[in-house]
Amino acid sequence: MACNELENIIKSCDNNTGGIYTAYVGDMDDIASITEDQATWSITAMTLAALTPAMSFYFKRNTSNYTDEATNDLIAGSSFYTKTINLVFHRRDADKSKAIKILGEGQRYLYVVVGDANGTFWYFPYMQLTAVTGGSGTARADGSNYNVTLVGMDEFAAYTMSEAIASSLLVATS
């Protein structure tokens, strides 16, 4: 007996553009409440604890991405998604080095909301900083950068959320 009824996947006529243009990052502990709608695979409400807005991460276009990869073990009967977010920040400096160091301190659990080039916002819970690479480049045209990798595992693929909910995460509440 099947667990859920199969659903259609309809071919879209919308333009499909790759890449991400923004990321909002905060501590999982700062989420006061979250409402998930499993029927629509979306976050319908999210409230942060007082005075704890998410941090905005902005980067150059065509540099950063995310993946949401399903792993299904047919023998063990387990299924989960490995979520990976790769962010590239150009021009190395002390402020970015410090912010990246804090991002990974204590192996903290982070939530990340990513805005993609199609105008969709995606919610990634329980992410952790797993790698920071980058450097000076070789030639003058290479530039210097940081490559930051955040990884998490979850039972579900990333949920969507409205731009209004995503933007509300950037505002401190009283």
Side-chain angles (χ1 to χ4, degrees):
M1 178 172 162
C3 299
N4 289 302
E5 187 175 320
L6 294 175
E7 295 187 19
N8 293 316
I9 298 176
I10 299 169
K11 179 183 167 233
S12 174
C13 294
D14 294 334
N15 190 29
N16 182 26
T17 306
I20 61 176
Y21 63 88
T22 191
Y24 305 148
V25 180
D27 283 307
M28 284 299 299
D29 290 342
D30 292 341
I31 298 174
S33 67
I34 188 163
T35 305
E36 299 174 353
D37 184 343
Q38 291 187 359
T40 62
W41 288 67
S42 63
I43 303 298
T44 57
M46 187 168 173
T47 306
L48 298 179
L51 305 174
T52 56
M55 296 293 107
S56 301
F57 289 7
Y58 296 99
F59 29 84
K60 301 221 182 255
R61 128 179 97 189
N62 300 325
T63 62
S64 302
N65 67 7
Y66 73 85
T67 60
D68 205 0
E69 182 179 346
T71 300
N72 299 301
D73 187 318
L74 300 178
I75 305 223
S78 63
S79 299
F80 62 92
Y81 285 82
T82 301
K83 301 156 184 302
T84 305
I85 300 173
N86 298 298
L87 304 174
V88 178
F89 301 101
H90 288 89
R91 191 173 180 100
R92 296 175 69 92
D93 62 48
D95 289 340
K96 289 182 190 117
S97 292
K98 180 182 176 187
I100 292 168
K101 173 68 175 160
I102 292 169
L103 191 66
E105 73 183 1
Q107 299 179 346
R108 66 191 338 146
Y109 284 111
L110 305 166
Y111 68 87
V112 182
V113 175
V114 172
D116 73 13
N118 291 315
T120 304
F121 287 85
W122 299 94
Y123 171 69
F124 296 86
Y126 295 101
M127 303 296 289
Q128 290 182 294
L129 180 83
T130 60
V132 179
T133 60
S136 66
T138 303
R140 276 187 85 94
D142 293 342
S144 63
N145 67 7
Y146 299 90
N147 299 303
V148 175
T149 303
L150 302 164
V151 174
M153 293 180 192
D154 194 17
E155 182 180 357
F156 300 103
Y159 279 25
T160 62
M161 70 170 47
S162 71
E163 183 175 4
I165 295 172
S167 296
S168 75
L169 302 175
L170 300 174
V171 179
T173 57
S174 57

